[in-house]
Amino acid sequence: TDSKWLVPHFEKMIYDNGQLASTYAEAYDETNNPYYAQVVRETLDYVLREMTSETGAFYSAQDAEVDAREGGSYLWTPEQIRQALTEAGQTEDLDFALEVYGLDKGTNFQDPHHPSEPPSNVLYLADEPAKVARRMNMSEQEFNERRQRVNTALLAARDQRDQPLTDDKILAGWNGLMISGFADSGRILKEQKYIDAAARAGDDVLTNM
């Protein structure tokens, strides 16, 4: 929603995620860049966690707003980062998290519908992990391990917030795009769980729609 392509529209659509998974999987197949594979896994694991029905098909969307606030579940302040990492016993990761996700550079989000509320932050990586690691004088393995540790703590804190509503419509065409995303990714990454998810969703659509 901004000129830097930094602030997203926070609504999550199943058809976007399906096409992005296929695109990043194909990019990984062409370049062997591990970051592209990481994006695929994080995307599909999110869909399995939050956008998959009990019978295997995929829900349509998650709302942009929480409690009538854009991105309410996803925005952070340095104080919230500090609290989450302190409660997780990870105070040694605090400065790392603030630098990696851009909070040391000031705020980057102001809700246009509620200008009186204080600004906050969309978390973002300034570059691919390998390049950020080099700038921080860390090995890529150490960087990825620390970032994953931070992400786990932040997700646990975020799960305690009010959550966006999930639109649980199941649409055949949109499911087709997500099934393709899982199938392409499972084939290229050689991940059986993604192939299984594609097959289960396909069976559900063919059986029930």
Side-chain angles (χ1 to χ4, degrees):
T1 61
D2 67 345
S3 60
K4 296 180 180 179
W5 285 62
L6 174 62
V7 177
H9 178 49
F10 293 95
E11 187 177 22
K12 293 185 172 69
M13 310 302 297
I14 202 68
Y15 58 78
D16 286 335
N17 282 281
Q19 293 175 94
L20 286 168
S22 291
T23 300
Y24 273 95
E26 291 171 9
Y28 172 71
D29 198 31
E30 291 288 334
T31 66
N32 206 35
N33 184 334
Y35 178 56
Y36 297 153
Q38 178 185 336
V39 171
V40 171
R41 291 189 175 96
E42 290 178 353
T43 300
L44 297 185
D45 289 347
Y46 151 76
V47 171
L48 289 174
R49 185 176 70 242
E50 299 194 28
M51 297 287 284
T52 304
S53 70
E54 291 183 358
T55 55
F58 305 113
Y59 298 137
S60 293
Q62 284 187 324
D63 283 357
E65 295 185 351
V66 177
D67 300 330
R69 297 295 188 269
E70 282 281 322
S73 180
Y74 308 114
L75 299 167
W76 294 86
T77 64
E79 292 73 23
Q80 290 169 329
I81 298 282
R82 183 174 293 107
Q83 180 179 352
L85 294 179
T86 298
E87 290 178 356
Q90 296 172 213
T91 54
E92 72 280 2
D93 289 326
L94 177 57
D95 290 341
F96 170 83
L98 295 178
E99 180 177 355
V100 164
Y101 287 128
L103 284 85
D104 62 335
K105 298 177 177 62
T107 57
N108 59 31
F109 179 82
Q110 177 72 59
D111 190 333
H113 307 296
H114 301 90
S116 62
E117 293 197 354
S120 55
N121 286 79
V122 174
L123 305 188
Y124 72 100
L125 276 177
D127 210 328
E128 293 187 15
K131 296 178 182 178
V132 178
R134 285 197 295 272
R135 286 202 290 269
M136 297 181 73
N137 296 315
M138 301 173 64
S139 70
E140 187 174 357
Q141 179 179 349
E142 180 188 3
F143 177 86
N144 287 334
E145 289 175 353
R146 289 192 74 178
R147 191 165 78 95
Q148 184 57 53
R149 195 162 65 233
V150 167
N151 288 354
T152 299
L154 297 186
L155 179 60
R158 206 183 74 194
D159 283 344
Q160 302 306 310
R161 301 177 177 180
D162 291 343
Q163 299 298 305
L165 294 176
T166 298
D167 181 349
D168 62 1
K169 289 196 303 294
I170 294 174
L171 304 177
W174 293 10
N175 264 260
L177 292 169
M178 194 71 249
I179 289 166
S180 294
F182 272 97
D184 291 337
S185 302
R187 171 177 52 82
I188 290 170
L189 300 183
K190 297 180 173 58
E191 289 274 6
Q192 188 62 42
K193 71 174 181 178
Y194 299 148
I195 296 172
D196 291 344
R200 186 167 179 250
D203 287 345
D204 191 10
V205 170
L206 291 170
T207 300
N208 296 310
M209 301 185 79

